[in-house]
Structure formats: C-alpha cells, structure tokens
Amino acid sequence: MPYRSADAGPGVTGYQPVKSTPVPVPTQENAPRGATGYTPATADPTPPRPAPSPRPHHPVAHVETEENMANAYVAHDAAAAVPRDDDPPLAMEAMRAVQILNPTGEILMPRPTRPRVMCVANQKGGVGKTTTTVNLAVALALHGNRVLVIDLDPQGNASTGLSVPHHAGIPDVYDCLIENVPMVEVAQAVEGIPNLHCVPATIDLAGAEIELVSVVARESRLGRAIAAYPHEFDYVFIDCPPSLGLLTVNALCAAQEVLIPIQCEYYALEGLNQLLNNINLVKAHLNPTLEVSTILLTMYDRRTRLADAVEQDVRNHFGEKVLTSVIPRNVRVSEAPSYGQSVMTYDPGSRGATSYFEAAQEIAERGAKIGVAA
C-alpha cells in the first residue's frame, strides 16, 4: 500500500499512512484467467494477531463425592470379577491344600475290610517307585488310614522322603530279615503325619542279597515279619529296589498286590514284560494270591506325543488296572525330598500333590468296592 505525508517530501522518514481507495479483494469470480491456487486475501490490512499459547494444565483435585465413590466400587468389583491370564489361581490352590492336608483329621478315604499289602515294584530305576510310595502313603494317612511303609531299597530314599533317621547303627529292615528282630521294634512313627509308620533301610541292607542266599525260607522272611506285627494297618507299602533280586522276591512273596509305576517313555515299556514274567513265576510257585492290581503312569509330559502314545498302549494292554489319575512332571515333587517331606506337605497346592491325592483316593475307592482283591 502506498504511503506518503502531507508535509514531507519523498525520501523523508516518518511517513504516515493515508486513506486510499480500497483495493477490491480478489475472488474466484474476478481472478485473472488461468490463475490457479488462489487464496482469498483479507480486506483488513492489519496483520493477524498471533494465537495465544496454550496454558499449562493443572489437574484439579479429585472431590470424593458419593457418586464418585460408588463408581469406584463398581469398577473395582467389575475388575475383580474378570479373570486375567497373569493372575495365579491362589484361591484354587488354597482350597486344594486344605483338602489334601485335611486339618480336621476326618476319615475321608474309605478303609479296606482287611490290610492291603502292596508291593511297589519295577526293575527299571527312576520311574518314581519311591516317590509314589511316599506320597500315596502320606495321602492315605492324612485322610484317616493307618499306613506302614517298608523301605526295602538299600539307598534308603523312602526313609529320606519321610524324614526318618536311617544312618548306620539305626535298627532297620535288615535286622528283621537277617536277625529276626520284631518289626515293631524297628518301625518309627513319621513326625507330623498321624497314623503313618516307617521301617527304615540303611546301607547294611546292601549285603542282605548275599546273606539271604544261605538262609532257610529266604523268600518268605519279610512276609513272616509283617504277619507278626502286633498292630493292624490298613495299607502296607513295600518300596522295592530297582532289581529282581532276593529283596524284590521277598516283597512279592509278602504282598497281595503289585503296584507298578510306569514312566511315560519307551524304555519303561521295554522291560515290563520281564517284570510281569517274574511276577507270574512268584505267583505260580511261591505266592498264589499275588496279583498286579494297579498301574500308575508317572512323569507324564503333556507336551509330547510320546507320552500320549505310551499312555494309550498301557491302557489298551492293562485295561481297568490303570488308574485314571496320571502323575505329571512337576518340579515340586522333585524338590520335596530335599526338605525331608513328601509333596503332600511340602506344597499341597501343586499339581503333583493334587495328582497323587487323586491317585490315593482312587486306590482307596477301588479297594473298598472290590474287597481288597483289587
């Protein structure tokens, strides 16, 4: 826009604007021909004022009104009612722990009509014989059954799992087999578990295999020691060594039933026929009442197809003798012996404890139904 002053010549500073004829504002109608991208200009020559800068936000203090408090409670309840994947099921674990520990001491598992002497045997090592013996015994004892565990393995792992002293010099099952010491003088009460006793095994038992060779009626030594026990038990579990020697033969002659833990792997199936042949030999010549009554699948890994294949093969071959309950791989089961406990008392809410509890309950129900001939 041109500027000039009334009393100053050209080139003199201090020009003041004078009014002039307003310039027509270009529009789309009067724009020059061929012009594109026209932006209408403002008629006001004054430059636009800058936009005000945004004010800093200061949060307003929350006012606790009755409506706000009600909305908060509703939101809290809604969030609690919706389960999240990362929330551990603590309530369910607590319920399982109370059910397994049975603090009231009630008889929740039925008792058999007469003592059930069960031999836990498998000539393959590492299939869970000792773990099965200890946890089934504790589960049954916690629910009102009178249980005796006989540790017939020179390693003494069952004694360790029940926190029973078994160092050198302690009276053990060796004294019952070789020295004819009454078993009642050797059995020890398991601390913290009512109605549960254990006959420990020390390293002296390692020499019993050789010493029993020259003993009269060597196969029935253990059976006579159990029969002479003055107290009556509902269950007697005999934990056998991983072999088919004289100690295992003594257990097979003393028992009425055989419980075979089978690891869900191929090697566990490979030697099963040999075990069954030996059981049939003992039944034919030494103990006609012996019977394979229970098969328990252990160390089941649901992530592998091999575990499913082994389970199907075992169930197809043994039928109803296989327990419905399956013991999964669980680190708590392996940790418990290092604390001198079973998994039932070490972590009663774990999957391992729950599985062994269900297996014990199934064994008790079967025994009550079929009258000890299970």
Side-chain angles (χ1 to χ4, degrees), residues 273-342:
N273 287 333
Q274 184 180 357
L275 174 63
L276 296 176
N277 290 336
N278 285 17
I279 292 174
N280 292 331
L281 288 174
V282 172
K283 181 177 181 179
H285 300 283
L286 299 172
N287 184 8
T289 62
L290 184 65
E291 183 183 355
V292 178
S293 65
T294 309
I295 305 292
L296 178 62
L297 296 171
T298 62
M299 302 182 189
Y300 179 83
D301 192 349
R302 68 182 64 185
R303 300 171 299 177
T304 63
R305 295 183 180 179
L306 176 62
D308 292 334
V310 172
E311 180 184 5
Q312 294 302 323
D313 290 343
V314 173
R315 293 191 184 278
N316 292 336
H317 187 271
F318 291 99
E320 295 182 355
K321 294 181 179 180
V322 186
L323 294 179
T324 305
S325 304
V326 176
I327 310 302
R329 286 190 178 273
N330 186 248
V331 68
R332 297 299 186 187
V333 176
S334 303
E335 290 177 353
S338 63
Y339 294 89
Q341 300 182 46
S342 66

Side-chain angles (χ1 to χ4, degrees), residues 25-364:
V25 179
T27 61
Q28 193 68 23
E29 289 78 8
N30 58 11
R33 181 178 298 179
T36 59
Y38 239 89
T39 303
T42 57
D44 190 2
T46 306
R49 297 178 58 183
S53 59
R55 296 182 181 180
H57 175 70
H58 299 286
V60 181
H62 178 69
V63 180
E64 289 291 346
T65 63
E66 186 174 352
E67 181 180 359
N68 291 337
M69 295 176 65
N71 294 336
Y73 280 117
V74 171
H76 179 272
D77 292 340
V82 178
R84 299 189 308 175
D85 294 336
D86 57 342
D87 285 340
L90 298 179
M92 298 299 297
E93 288 188 12
M95 293 174 61
R96 289 197 301 265
V98 172
Q99 182 185 17
I100 291 173
L101 293 177
N102 189 23
T104 60
E106 299 179 3
I107 302 177
L108 301 179
M109 293 185 183
R111 286 178 173 175
T113 56
R114 62 186 179 90
R116 299 180 66 184
V117 183
M118 306 186 71
C119 168
V120 184
N122 194 329
Q123 86 278 7
K124 185 182 183 304
V127 298
K129 292 186 299 295
T130 300
T131 303
T132 298
T133 301
V134 169
N135 289 294
L136 290 180
V138 172
L140 290 167
L142 287 174
H143 291 79
N145 286 268
R146 299 161 296 180
V147 184
L148 174 67
V149 174
I150 300 176
D151 191 356
L152 208 61
D153 189 348
Q155 300 179 65
N157 291 335
S159 305
T160 301
L162 294 175
S163 192
V164 174
H166 59 99
H167 53 81
I170 294 291
D172 68 332
V173 69
Y174 171 86
D175 299 320
C176 301
L177 296 176
I178 306 300
E179 305 295 338
N180 291 324
V181 175
M183 189 171 286
V184 68
E185 299 180 8
V186 177
Q188 303 181 33
V190 178
E191 184 179 359
I193 309 295
N195 304 320
L196 179 59
H197 290 75
C198 176
V199 178
T202 65
I203 194 61
D204 297 336
L205 191 61
E209 291 274 2
I210 300 175
E211 297 183 33
L212 282 173
V213 172
S214 58
V215 174
V216 178
R218 57 190 180 186
E219 298 90 356
S220 59
R221 306 283 287 186
L222 182 62
R224 287 188 292 177
I226 295 175
Y229 205 97
H231 308 299
E232 186 174 335
F233 291 98
D234 298 313
Y235 290 90
V236 178
F237 289 100
I238 307 174
D239 182 30
C240 295
S243 66
L244 296 175
L246 277 175
L247 291 177
T248 302
V249 171
N250 261 270
L252 293 174
C253 292
Q256 303 162 347
E257 310 173 43
V258 181
L259 190 156
I260 304 178
I262 298 178
Q263 184 182 3
C264 293
E265 293 185 2
Y266 174 74
Y267 285 147
L269 296 178
E270 194 174 25
L272 192 58
N273 287 333
Q274 184 180 357
L275 174 63
L276 296 176
N277 290 336
N278 285 17
I279 292 174
N280 292 331
L281 288 174
V282 172
K283 181 177 181 179
H285 300 283
L286 299 172
N287 184 8
T289 62
L290 184 65
E291 183 183 355
V292 178
S293 65
T294 309
I295 305 292
L296 178 62
L297 296 171
T298 62
M299 302 182 189
Y300 179 83
D301 192 349
R302 68 182 64 185
R303 300 171 299 177
T304 63
R305 295 183 180 179
L306 176 62
D308 292 334
V310 172
E311 180 184 5
Q312 294 302 323
D313 290 343
V314 173
R315 293 191 184 278
N316 292 336
H317 187 271
F318 291 99
E320 295 182 355
K321 294 181 179 180
V322 186
L323 294 179
T324 305
S325 304
V326 176
I327 310 302
R329 286 190 178 273
N330 186 248
V331 68
R332 297 299 186 187
V333 176
S334 303
E335 290 177 353
S338 63
Y339 294 89
Q341 300 182 46
S342 66
V343 72
M344 316 300 293
T345 55
Y346 174 69
D347 190 357
S350 63
R351 290 193 304 122
T354 304
S355 301
Y356 271 115
F357 169 76
E358 293 173 353
Q361 193 170 22
E362 194 171 351
I363 289 174

